[in-house]
Amino acid sequence: MTDTHPDPLYRPLPDGVVPAEVIARTEKRWLAVMVGILILMMAVIVVTGMTHAVHPPSNVETIEPVTLHLGGEFAESNLGTAQERDGSLTVRLVAGQYGFTPDCTKVAVDTPVRFRLTSIDVVHGFLLPLTNVNTMVVPGFVAEVHTRFTRPGVYRMPCNEFCGPGHHGMWARVSVVPKEEFPALAATERSRCVQQ
Ligand code: CUA
């Protein structure tokens, strides 16, 4: 190989120019890294979905946001915690700029809890940190999440979808009480928490 070879491909490369085969090899390695990351992310989604019961918001149930307060399950008298025949609990909440109604509900520990939420205005978020509960609350739809609290205590419930200038102040609470305390609570006490 000399600088005077008739075919320019056979002349030595000037300093700083990376040969084509080196570029091809590097590109293949990065491609392998990218495919590896994709496989890892898919695996994380499948494994967490199956082992931690992370529920994507998949139920499609529609509701008319303008009239939901007039009757039906989201009328004011039906909001809060209700006990089902099988002993499980259903908590119904309505989200709106900038609060949840009711702003505190009580549930029993070690009991299946079903949350049903909807929004009267814009998209809000429903998150209970350190649990599997995390869903969007979209106007026109009912979001449903199932969980079971293993420890008593007060769980803060921040809205985690930006919903306007008051978003940062939008949050509520779920108070998880010992199992033996719950039946003694009157229906009205289940849907409000008196400050002590
Ligand atoms: Cu509601 Cu952010």
Side-chain angles (χ1 to χ4, degrees):
M1 259 209 271
T2 63
D3 282 351
T4 55
H5 196 284
D7 184 341
L9 283 175
Y10 289 91
R11 286 180 210 150
L13 288 165
D15 279 351
V17 177
V18 183
E21 59 272 19
V22 175
I23 293 176
R25 206 187 314 138
T26 313
E27 280 184 342
K28 267 187 204 147
R29 283 181 189 159
W30 277 112
L31 190 67
V33 169
M34 207 183 71
V35 171
I37 291 172
L38 281 176
I39 292 171
L40 179 72
M41 288 194 299
M42 283 305 292
V44 166
I45 291 169
V46 172
V47 169
T48 52
M50 290 169 74
T51 60
H52 296 320
V54 172
H55 306 292
S58 53
N59 66 312
V60 178
E61 239 186 289
T62 55
I63 189 163
E64 181 50 63
V66 181
T67 52
L68 60 87
H69 63 291
L70 298 176
E73 74 165 295
F74 288 100
E76 196 171 356
S77 56
N78 292 329
L79 299 181
T81 307
Q83 193 150 27
E84 305 296 340
R85 280 169 191 276
D86 62 2
S88 69
L89 301 172
T90 301
V91 181
R92 291 185 178 85
L93 298 165
V94 171
Q97 286 165 323
Y98 296 99
F100 294 91
T101 309
D103 66 354
C104 186
T105 46
K106 285 184 182 161
V107 298
V109 77
D110 287 324
T111 305
V113 182
R114 180 169 67 124
F115 285 96
R116 286 175 61 76
L117 286 91
T118 190
S119 167
I120 51 165
D121 40 38
V122 299
V123 177
H124 297 279
F126 173 45
L127 168 76
L128 287 170
L130 304 178
T131 71
N132 64 330
V133 175
N134 186 356
T135 186
M136 284 165 93
V137 183
V138 182
F141 295 88
V142 178
E144 183 169 307
V145 199
H146 297 249
T147 193
R148 176 190 282 264
F149 295 92
T150 53
R151 274 176 299 178
V154 175
Y155 292 67
R156 286 183 181 245
M157 214 180 99
C159 171
N160 64 335
E161 289 287 341
F162 183 75
C163 52
H167 160 73
H168 63 278
M170 181 172 174
W171 58 279
R173 284 170 300 163
V174 175
S175 176
V176 180
V177 303
K179 225 172 175 168
E180 56 288 357
E181 265 181 40
F182 189 80
L185 297 172
T188 51
E189 287 177 295
R190 292 173 186 172
S191 302
R192 69 193 161 101
C193 309
V194 178
Q195 298 284 349
Q196 275 141 6

